[in-house]
Amino acid sequence: MICFNFTRKKFLSLSSTARHKWIIKWLSPIYQQVVTNRISMERLDLFFTSYTDVLLWLGEKKPVKPWGQEHKLWVEFVSDAIHFHRKKAG
């Protein structure tokens, strides 16, 4: 599932910790797909758009999209995102 499965209203009704836990739950299988190179650039673009929307819902700044199609940059991007939300979830 590349797109986030919550509406903005439903997502914002959760506690801050729950929000970040749901994001981690969403990011984890995407990370596995990126690491094993089982995801297309089109799907990564769709993921990035959804992730940007979710961050903006949280009041966070817009992320910088990994440049080009270099696989390593996407692995780092998703990994950093998971670590960011783990930290926010406590």
Side-chain angles (χ1 to χ4, degrees):
M1 174 175 43
I2 295 301
C3 294
F4 196 62
N5 62 344
F6 278 84
T7 63
R8 182 177 190 266
K9 182 178 179 179
K10 181 178 177 183
F11 180 69
L12 293 178
S13 71
L14 301 172
S15 70
S16 178
T17 300
R19 290 176 195 166
H20 292 287
K21 286 183 178 182
W22 272 106
I23 294 170
I24 294 164
K25 187 176 180 177
W26 173 56
L27 292 173
S28 295
I30 294 169
Y31 177 76
Q32 291 301 317
Q33 290 177 18
V34 173
V35 167
T36 58
N37 205 19
R38 292 182 294 143
I39 190 167
S40 68
M41 287 309 298
E42 293 82 18
R43 292 182 59 80
L44 283 171
D45 286 338
L46 182 59
F47 154 72
F48 184 80
T49 300
S50 293
Y51 183 63
T52 298
D53 290 343
V54 171
L55 285 181
L56 294 175
W57 293 350
L58 290 171
E60 299 289 339
K61 66 180 183 175
K62 185 175 178 178
V64 176
K65 185 175 181 179
W67 189 79
Q69 298 183 6
E70 190 171 334
H71 182 74
K72 179 183 175 188
L73 296 176
W74 281 101
V75 171
E76 290 174 4
F77 177 82
V78 179
S79 176
D80 289 347
I82 290 170
H83 290 292
F84 171 79
H85 292 289
R86 281 186 178 155
K87 184 177 177 184
K88 290 283 191 171

